[in-house]
Amino acid sequence: MAIRIVRLGSERKRGEGIRFGTVRRPPRGVPKARHSKENWYDTWLPMLSPSAELMKSARGGTAWNTFTRRFHAEMKRPDAAHLLNALAALSHQTNFSVGCYCEDEEHCHRGILRELLEERGAAIVG
């Protein structure tokens, strides 16, 4: 049992399980009924995405180190921290995935989520 960190919209891997979208907004122009069928996500978890304020600052040219620091702070908030703890625990019981739209995980919040989940002892593959 484990978590996969994925790019939303990518082809699903065998045994991937439920796909959680950790994005601020649903995919543009895709009806809600097609989110799962088109490999976006099965369930939306926007509380694990960067805040609208943080995203706005990132589009304004915020350095990656600053973005990372601020996102870590957001994930320390009780609602996000409890959810991360729950996902880490669930990773030892079932397969599922979390993801974002970004092409490059190294400059995407899903890479930071990977680190935060690993810190909590999550089982992660890939």
Side-chain angles (χ1 to χ4, degrees), residues 8-9 21-44 100-101:
L8 300 180
T22 61
V23 291
R24 177 76 19 220
R25 303 270 184 255
R28 286 185 177 178
V30 180
K32 192 182 273 188
R34 306 274 324 152
H35 289 174
S36 183
K37 292 176 186 168
E38 294 182 9
N39 295 324
W40 295 105
Y41 53 76
D42 302 304
T43 301
W44 188 29
C100 180
Y101 307 125

Side-chain angles (χ1 to χ4, degrees), residues 68-100:
T68 299
R69 183 176 41 79
R70 289 181 184 168
F71 186 63
H72 272 272
E74 289 183 357
M75 293 299 101
K76 287 181 181 175
R77 294 179 183 156
D79 58 342
H82 293 308
L83 183 52
L84 287 167
N85 290 338
L87 291 177
L90 282 172
S91 73
H92 298 280
Q93 303 297 317
T94 191
N95 293 329
F96 61 93
S97 59
V98 297
C100 180

